[in-house]
Amino acid sequence: MTITIIGHGYVGLVTACVFANFGNQVGVIGRTPEKIKKLNGGDPLIYEPGLEELLQKNLEARRLKFTLDYDPTIKNSQVVFIAVGTPSGDNGEANLSQVFSVAEKIAENLKDDYTVVSCKSTVPVGTNRKIKEIISRKINSSVKFDVVSTPEFLREGTGISDTTHPDRILIGSESKKATKIMLDLHREISGERVVTNLASAELIKYASNSMLATKISFANLISFYCEKSGANAEQVLSAVGLDNRIGSKFLNPGIGYGGACFPKDVKALIHTGHELQVNTGLLDEVENINKLARNSFAEKIIKNSKGKKLGIWGLSFKPNTDDVREAPSIFIIKKLLENNFEITAYDPEAMKHIQKQFGNKIKFVDDPYKVSEGTDNLAIFTEWNEFKQIDLKRVKKLMRGKVIFDGRNIYDLDKMKELGFEYHSVGRKTISV
């Protein structure tokens, strides 16, 4: 097929590369000339394992092209995907201005035939009907189209495999013709097919992310109990997760969730609940516990540090991505700077983004061992594999102090005791020296 994707962020770019790799002709529309030039030159602009290679492969095969032009890109396409951002407003409401602006441009460029307009952006219930209304107002009778909702469920860091081997392909549609085309487009992709109406597809996306956020906040709530009672959060939650009705995924204590999806989607579902006059108390607490997890860890560092010189490992909201949107590290660092900490930080991919926010308030180095040199305390915010496998004996020799604050529980308690560290983790006993 020939398809168009509007937007080249995580969702749009990964989707474009995967569909091109299946042999489709894919045009990707952006709005910044500099970014379009870099993408056509093989630079993905974001860090995602395997993405640069997949991008360059399909550019060389001439199955993938990036452009600023809606015409003729859309006229040549059977399917047009909307994959632009829907950031949170101050009140939590999803900002749909980009979605609606794109819908108008699609209407102006549809061919005099049939096109499926597929919204992949995460949008509140009722948005796809508004997209259909916007397009319908601007076209003549010879133009035929249907709007479908196809939310994505990819995770940053595993975006390609999540796109090619998802748990499910979700298609919200009220047209048999559009449904058939979308099922055909996804024929090379595994996963259970779920076909619903538009409203259900929209809500499934928000419900899924909010459920995962709820599990994370529940795990952190239990970690609060554990720290007060002497219980071990990892043992408690591991046993809870063995119940097949619950499952172990996302049931890990830490410093809270972040990224482009969970914070935004929980807020948006709360806002939709208010509009529908639904009690959102559960989701309110999910969000509140997430804030408590970050604040609790910051206070732990402030209270137990031996000196004000602090090294930080990990800045991205999760490993295998350079994304720092709503990353717990940002909130914790702000609080530490307010308390006059001198910070040196390292992250394999995300330092350039944090540097934009903090500038020379933080010292950045290109190696985790350099972070350790002469520092009083060390804090871990992201569970990158290189931190799990690092030589802790060497780290101890480089540090001036011997205090480690582990926000992701990546080290064994007995090992840290044997090495002689004062070790503070989440929901587990403190190892004192």
Side-chain angles (χ1 to χ4, degrees), residues 15-83:
T15 302
C17 290
V18 167
F19 278 131
N21 205 49
F22 288 146
N24 299 287
Q25 290 295 320
V26 183
V28 182
I29 300 175
R31 57 182 182 178
T32 308
E34 294 80 7
K35 290 182 178 181
I36 293 298
K37 183 178 180 180
K38 287 182 178 180
L39 287 163
N40 277 321
D43 180 354
L45 305 177
I46 55 176
Y47 176 73
E48 179 70 28
L51 183 59
E52 185 172 1
E53 295 81 359
L54 198 62
L55 170 64
Q56 293 174 357
K57 172 187 175 182
N58 286 284
L59 285 169
E60 291 171 5
R62 299 184 181 277
R63 291 190 292 262
L64 187 58
K65 181 181 179 181
F66 298 87
T67 181
L68 299 167
D69 301 321
Y70 282 74
D71 183 15
T73 310
I74 287 177
K75 284 186 173 64
N76 293 334
S77 297
Q78 296 160 275
V79 178
V80 177
F81 285 100
I82 299 173

Side-chain angles (χ1 to χ4, degrees), residues 304 306 376-378 399 401-405 421-422 424:
N304 296 286
K306 305 295 191 293
D376 300 312
N377 320 278
L378 182 65
M399 290 179 68
K402 300 292 179 279
V403 186
I404 291 182
F405 300 94
F421 283 106
E422 180 177 322
H424 302 262

Side-chain angles (χ1 to χ4, degrees), residues 10-11 14-15 152-156 158-159 162-163 205 261:
Y10 278 94
V11 175
V14 172
T15 302
E152 50 73 31
F153 297 95
L154 66 84
R155 297 164 295 173
E156 294 178 31
T158 55
D162 287 346
T163 303
K205 170 64 177 182
C261 295

Side-chain angles (χ1 to χ4, degrees), residues 169-175 179-180 183 192-197 200-201 204:
I169 298 293
L170 176 59
I171 301 170
S173 175
E174 294 166 358
S175 161
T179 300
K180 184 177 183 304
L183 288 171
E192 185 170 342
R193 272 55 178 161
V194 180
V195 178
T196 69
N197 61 22
S200 295
I204 286 167

Side-chain angles (χ1 to χ4, degrees), residues 80-144:
V80 177
F81 285 100
I82 299 173
V84 296
T86 56
S88 288
D90 292 338
N91 62 353
E93 181 180 11
N95 184 334
L96 301 175
S97 58
Q98 290 187 68
V99 173
F100 294 149
S101 174
V102 162
E104 291 190 0
K105 291 177 181 176
I106 290 172
E108 293 166 0
N109 291 279
L110 285 176
K111 60 188 175 184
D112 290 338
D113 196 354
Y114 180 77
T115 307
V116 177
V117 178
S118 171
C119 185
K120 193 163 277 292
S121 299
T122 302
V123 294
V125 173
T127 302
N128 279 279
R129 290 194 180 278
K130 292 178 183 177
I131 292 171
K132 186 174 182 178
E133 290 170 5
I134 290 170
I135 297 174
S136 296
R137 286 198 302 265
K138 284 184 167 286
I139 60 174
N140 59 50
S141 58
S142 63
V143 175
K144 306 296 181 185

Side-chain angles (χ1 to χ4, degrees), residues 323-338:
D323 196 347
V324 298
R325 287 174 289 183
E326 296 287 334
S329 63
I330 294 175
F331 299 93
I332 297 172
I333 287 171
K334 285 179 179 177
K335 194 158 188 175
L336 295 175
L337 289 173
E338 290 171 0

Side-chain angles (χ1 to χ4, degrees), residues 242-268:
L242 290 174
D243 189 322
N244 290 328
R245 297 167 300 174
I246 298 171
S248 61
K249 291 183 179 179
F250 288 81
L251 206 58
N252 302 303
I255 54 177
Y257 57 78
C261 295
F262 288 3
K264 173 178 70 71
D265 292 352
V266 171
K267 288 183 177 72

